[in-house]
Amino acid sequence: MAQLKIRDLYGLLRRAPMRRDLAQDGIRLVYDGQTFHLSTADEPDTVLATAPVTGFTTGPWEVTAYSASLASVTAWMRMLDGEDLIDVCPFWASEAVLAFATGGQVETWPLLACPTAPADRRPQGIAEGRTDR
């Protein structure tokens, strides 16, 4: 889990390209322990935007989330106070998601890939070529 201001996370996600502009579905977030880096599954080494962590930090992680779900995640964040902190962390149970939590509210973003999850809990979306979400 990592914490950052809602406005910083919202600003980061607004820099993601539209789904129709991607050859492969997928928004990639890499958390290095201090900063979030946004790229795409198409071009994972091209950083489109960064956002600094403001509050609690943990070890690094990396996820690739469905770009089709980006609109619902950002719409949910617009209803929140931008100065509040939001917790962001990958979560794997029956399905892997990126979880956002603040003030008792939780939103999730389905994941295509989570290389930092335990091997038996990693989603198989990109490896199997799934782009149906």
Side-chain angles (χ1 to χ4, degrees), residues 18-124:
M18 303 295 282
R19 184 177 186 189
R20 67 179 173 269
D21 297 329
L22 298 171
Q24 181 181 30
D25 191 16
I27 302 300
R28 187 169 169 264
L29 284 175
V30 176
Y31 167 64
D32 65 12
Q34 298 177 10
T35 306
F36 282 90
H37 305 274
L38 173 82
S39 62
T40 65
D42 291 351
E43 299 181 32
D45 295 329
T46 302
V47 175
L48 301 173
T50 61
V53 173
T54 304
F56 185 78
T57 61
T58 61
W61 47 261
E62 172 186 337
V63 300
T64 302
Y66 288 96
S67 60
S69 300
L70 181 61
S72 63
V73 170
T74 55
W76 176 76
M77 283 192 299
R78 275 183 284 207
M79 297 184 300
L80 305 172
D81 182 346
E83 292 301 310
D84 287 345
L85 291 177
I86 190 166
D87 301 332
V88 182
C89 68
F91 178 77
W92 43 88
S94 60
E95 186 170 351
V97 297
L98 185 61
F100 304 95
T102 185
Q105 298 182 49
V106 177
E107 176 70 15
T108 60
W109 192 357
L111 297 179
L112 281 161
C114 185
T116 51
D120 65 334
R121 297 299 197 131
R122 291 182 189 152
Q124 299 300 313

